[in-house]
């Protein structure tokens, strides 16, 4: 199961000022990332593909970092899901996500 880690800049504010909402978010996260049928790494790779298809730079970077740092996802595994983004969402979104992957890898 995923460790509790949220990247949104406002999450610490929500945790401190609205603990009931924060706990609901934690519960939702636990309900989604169960690893029951698909292991957590596969679920994370799906998340990478989804944010890449939305072309959200910050979310792409965070999901890729999380996949690599938390789960040991490889560049090749991430490229496999980005190939699907190329097919389903187009060249610009694919190229943007690949650039972000390479930038993350350099850091």
């Amino acid at each position: 199961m995923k460790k509790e880690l949220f990247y949104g800049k406002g999450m610490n504010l929500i945790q401190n000022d609205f603990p009931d909402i924060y706990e609901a978010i934690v519960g939702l996260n636990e309900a989604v990332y169960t690893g029951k049928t698909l292991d957590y790494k596969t679920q994370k790779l799906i998340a990478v593909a989804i944010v890449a298809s939305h072309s959200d730079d910050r979310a792409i970077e965070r999901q890729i970092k999380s996949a690599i740092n938390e789960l040991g996802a490889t560049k090749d595994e991430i490229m496999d899901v980005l190939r699907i983004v190329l097919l389903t969402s187009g060249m610009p979104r694919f190229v943007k996500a690949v650039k972000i992957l390479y930038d993350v890898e350099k850091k």
Side-chain angles (χ1 to χ4, degrees), residues 16-52:
N16 293 332
D17 294 343
F18 305 98
D20 56 328
I21 295 173
Y22 181 80
E23 288 305 315
I25 293 168
V26 169
L28 179 60
N29 192 59
E30 290 172 356
V32 170
Y33 289 110
T34 63
K36 287 181 184 176
T37 304
L38 294 176
D39 62 90
Y40 180 55
K41 186 175 186 178
T42 301
Q43 291 176 319
K44 177 57 75 174
L45 291 170
I46 291 168
V48 169
I50 291 169
V51 298

Side-chain angles (χ1 to χ4, degrees), residues 87-98:
L87 180 63
T88 61
S89 298
M91 182 72 74
R93 292 166 190 231
F94 167 75
V95 171
K96 178 187 278 192
V98 170

